[in-house]
Amino acid sequence: MTKTLSRGLALGLALFLGAPALRAGEDFVLRTEVFEDVSGTRTFAEVLRFSPTPYTGILNRGYRSSAFWIRVTLKMPAAAREGVLRVRPQYLDEIALFDPVHPEAPPVLGGDRHAPPPNAPSSLFHAWTVPIPRDGCQYWLRIRGTSAITVDVQALTREDASHVEQDVGFLYALYLSFLACAIVWAAFTYFAHRDGLVGIFMVQQLCTAVQFLLVFGFVRHSFPGYADSGVLDFVTNGFILALTLTGLWFHLALLRLHRASRWGLLLIVFAMACFVPEMALLMKGRVREALHLNMGLATLVGPLL
């Protein structure tokens, strides 16, 4: 039963990771450039006076308090009068969309700390419908975040965006169904045999499922009002920390069964105890420090697991 479940989970994960390439849609982003505002306080008018640095692919800047301004040049098909500008990943805290044609207009806000705009396309990602003149155009995005800054920008036609959204929704549902199978199996096994290790595994998989729903946009999409209040962001970060804690708990119990090194076990216990100061930092609003500490401990303990 366990081997069958493991093989099923591995197959589901392979489908989940590989299938998006089947129908990704044509990306009409012609060029992306970035300007780092270290102070995080510059206005759009000030940023327009600087020359951003070109980059290709995914922007990756790690844990920084800077605001990153991305200039996106679009060239849509001649028949398209509007497109869908999509930003990933879903856990970015704040995204502000600026139109240089109307520099005085207030930005359109997105990110997991803001509810989607009323006219935004229905999406698990951060997405805006933008007009596209015949000769192309440019838009600016200001990105701020407390987690690692990783940004992928795409421009799709409405039809492609709809197809991609359907595919991604299906794959996410597939992954969640495998998690559900693992949780149900663990629950039956635990209550039938009172196996402590299986019980911990069940808790870990529950945390994984809830964290997935939070991080990948399901909860924000279903309950947008909680994004503006900050509750959703706090709960999401709390479950990120809790997922690390439950993962360490599971491996601690597993290694104890195999009589692992005492010092290795003590290191895992120490990492688990750091959940308390991490939550304290989170409750004080020092989210970046809490997540950075969590990532550092996971990296430190990782080779033991």
Side-chain angles (χ1 to χ4, degrees):
M1 175 67 177
T2 304
K3 289 183 178 179
T4 302
L5 179 65
S6 300
R7 289 169 182 169
L9 289 171
L11 175 61
L13 184 59
L15 290 170
F16 170 70
L17 293 175
L22 296 177
R23 190 166 58 170
E26 185 175 355
D27 186 2
F28 294 100
V29 172
L30 191 63
R31 185 169 61 255
T32 50
E33 302 157 287
V34 63
F35 168 73
E36 181 177 359
D37 173 15
V38 178
S39 68
T41 60
R42 293 190 182 275
T43 65
F44 183 40
E46 291 174 333
V47 170
L48 288 175
R49 297 199 293 264
F50 292 89
S51 298
T53 303
Y55 75 93
T56 57
I58 297 175
L59 179 70
N60 193 345
R61 291 294 186 269
Y63 287 89
R64 299 195 191 183
S65 58
S66 305
F68 291 90
W69 293 79
I70 300 175
R71 184 167 67 185
V72 186
T73 303
L74 308 180
K75 185 64 175 178
M76 301 294 287
R81 296 276 63 84
E82 63 180 16
V84 174
L85 189 63
R86 193 175 72 161
V87 179
R88 299 179 295 177
Q90 293 94 323
Y91 57 76
L92 291 169
D93 290 340
E94 182 183 279
I95 308 167
L97 175 66
F98 294 84
D99 186 350
V101 177
H102 307 285
E104 302 301 326
V108 181
L109 297 178
D112 64 7
R113 292 184 177 178
H114 299 279
N119 60 343
S122 179
S123 176
L124 294 174
F125 303 99
H126 305 297
W128 300 265
T129 301
V130 292
I132 308 293
R134 189 173 299 278
D135 56 349
C137 65
Q138 290 182 337
Y139 287 96
W140 283 80
L141 297 165
R142 183 187 65 206
I143 310 291
R144 291 172 174 166
T146 50
S147 56
I149 299 295
T150 302
V151 185
D152 180 33
V153 184
Q154 289 182 313
L156 307 172
T157 64
R158 271 186 170 275
E159 182 181 5
D160 279 351
S162 177
H163 289 161
V164 170
E165 200 68 33
Q166 292 172 10
D167 288 351
V168 169
F170 169 76
L171 292 169
Y172 284 179
L174 180 65
Y175 177 68
L176 286 169
S177 68
F178 277 101
L179 282 178
C181 289
I183 293 168
V184 171
W185 168 82
F188 274 110
T189 303
Y190 172 72
F191 288 111
H193 303 287
R194 296 295 174 179
D195 188 321
L197 184 63
V198 174
I200 298 171
F201 173 77
M202 178 180 65
V203 174
Q204 182 194 21
Q205 295 307 301
L206 280 169
C207 279
T208 301
V210 175
Q211 190 250 13
F212 185 89
L213 291 170
L214 288 163
V215 170
F216 285 88
F218 286 92
V219 178
R220 175 178 172 271
H221 186 267
S222 302
F223 306 98
Y226 288 97
D228 288 325
S229 67
V231 172
L232 186 56
D233 184 58
F234 179 82
V235 173
T236 300
N237 290 321
F239 265 94
I240 290 173
L241 302 180
L243 183 59
T244 301
L245 175 66
T246 55
L248 291 170
W249 184 22
F250 173 77
H251 284 92
L252 177 66
L254 181 64
L255 291 173
R256 276 177 172 169
L257 292 177
H258 294 278
R259 298 182 180 181
S261 165
R262 179 170 176 268
W263 290 108
L265 295 177
L266 286 174
L267 183 59
I268 296 175
V269 171
F270 169 75
M272 293 176 63
C274 286
F275 176 76
V276 176
E278 288 171 357
M279 284 301 299
L281 288 170
L282 186 62
M283 296 181 71
K284 289 183 178 180
R286 299 173 63 181
V287 180
R288 185 176 293 104
E289 290 89 338
L291 295 178
H292 208 167
L293 176 59
N294 183 68
M295 180 64 70
L297 289 169
T299 302
L300 176 66
V301 179
L304 298 175
L305 306 182

